[in-house]
Amino acid sequence: GAVVSQHPSRVICKSGTSVKIECRSLDFQATTMFWYRQFPKKSLMLMATSNEGSKATYEQGVEKDKFLINHASLTLSTLTVTSAHPEDSSFYICSARGQGITEAFFGQGTRLTVV
Amino acid sequence: GQNIDQPTEMTATEGAIVQINCTYQTSGFNGLFWYQQHAGEAPTFLSYNVLDGLEEKGRFSSFLSRSKGYSYLLLKELQMKDSASYLCAVTDSNYQLIWGAGTKLIIKP
């Protein structure tokens, strides 16, 4: 299957700083990328959907100014958590889907801890 | 509204068979996925059904009935490593993925 690489896998940052998470499709062009958040023992919560070259569509309740998503190329999307606070600590997962491909491939996930 | 239901938790014995059910009510249907997720890891793809019937892949099989809005994932010859959460997801008419809450499967020796 296709490979999606997410980096970093773990990050610890201080409260008030910003953190950028990268999601790359390594062997296919990702026309659509999804960003999820997952709390312990809970299912995936879709935060936003981004299509290459256009603005991300955020789910209700997700602050677009706090979670900045950029999908500037067909192989890279980034999620920036701005002015992070301890309640932003979570597992963030990206997935990518290519044109005409039904399956979405997941990155390895990023464990964010804000102290 | 859109809704996907699956049991929260199931327990089974090593070597046995377990069936995890998923029912859905979505605006349109463009396929149903099953993913496996181990604790602390990202989900991995197991199966995709878009037509009615059974898809078999090794120890795992997935069934779909579109008229009933129903799917199941069947796991045979259970192994301890199968202990994980199993997520059912449906692609709606806008090709958006709607996720179930996941079923935590516990395998006992």
Side-chain angles (χ1 to χ4, degrees):
Chain A
V3 178
V4 175
S5 177
Q6 186 174 342
H7 177 81
S9 58
R10 291 179 180 273
V11 59
I12 301 173
C13 70
K14 291 184 178 181
S15 186
T17 61
S18 295
V19 174
K20 180 184 282 189
I21 303 170
E22 291 188 348
C23 183
R24 294 181 183 272
S25 57
L26 299 185
D27 52 3
F28 70 102
Q29 294 184 325
T31 50
T32 306
M33 284 193 172
F34 307 89
W35 286 95
Y36 295 89
R37 183 174 180 175
Q38 188 174 35
F39 291 103
K41 301 182 180 180
K42 300 292 184 183
S43 187
L44 303 171
M45 184 192 80
L46 180 64
M47 299 174 67
T49 302
S50 72
N51 293 299
E52 185 265 339
S54 60
K55 290 185 179 180
T57 302
Y58 288 80
E59 295 299 303
Q60 193 172 9
V62 178
E63 300 175 59
K64 60 182 66 177
D65 294 331
K66 181 169 185 60
F67 298 99
L68 301 178
I69 292 173
N70 183 283
H71 190 172
S73 78
L74 284 171
T75 57
L76 174 65
S77 177
T78 60
L79 167 67
T80 302
V81 183
T82 62
S83 187
H85 292 285
E87 56 265 30
D88 298 325
S89 298
S90 189
F91 192 48
Y92 293 88
I93 310 172
C94 73
S95 73
R97 191 167 66 196
Q99 184 74 31
I101 299 174
T102 52
E103 177 186 343
F105 299 93
F106 283 86
Q108 302 94 322
T110 298
R111 175 76 58 193
L112 171 64
T113 303
V114 184
V115 297
Chain B
Q2 313 220 78
N3 195 47
I4 296 183
D5 288 316
Q6 49 181 132
T8 304
E9 187 173 296
M10 298 182 70
T11 302
T13 305
E14 189 177 15
I17 299 174
V18 71
Q19 177 175 311
I20 303 174
N21 295 324
C22 171
T23 58
Y24 62 90
Q25 295 160 326
T26 57
S27 55
F29 178 84
N30 279 298
L32 184 144
F33 296 86
W34 283 97
Y35 281 84
Q36 180 192 61
Q37 185 178 26
H38 285 99
E41 299 179 9
T44 55
F45 171 79
L46 290 178
S47 67
Y48 172 69
N49 294 69
V50 67
L51 299 176
D52 289 350
L54 187 69
E55 294 277 344
E56 296 186 76
K57 190 185 293 185
R59 294 189 298 115
F60 293 5
S61 303
S62 57
F63 171 83
L64 174 67
S65 169
R66 288 172 296 170
S67 62
K68 295 181 179 178
Y70 168 70
S71 172
Y72 68 73
L73 179 69
L74 190 71
L75 292 77
K76 303 176 183 177
E77 301 170 17
L78 286 170
Q79 301 174 10
M80 297 304 292
K81 67 178 182 179
D82 297 331
S83 291
S85 286
Y86 292 85
L87 305 170
C88 172
V90 171
T91 307
D92 68 9
S93 56
N94 294 319
Y95 290 92
Q96 296 297 314
L97 269 174
I98 313 299
W99 291 89
T103 298
K104 182 180 180 181
L105 177 63
I106 300 168
I107 310 297
K108 295 187 174 180

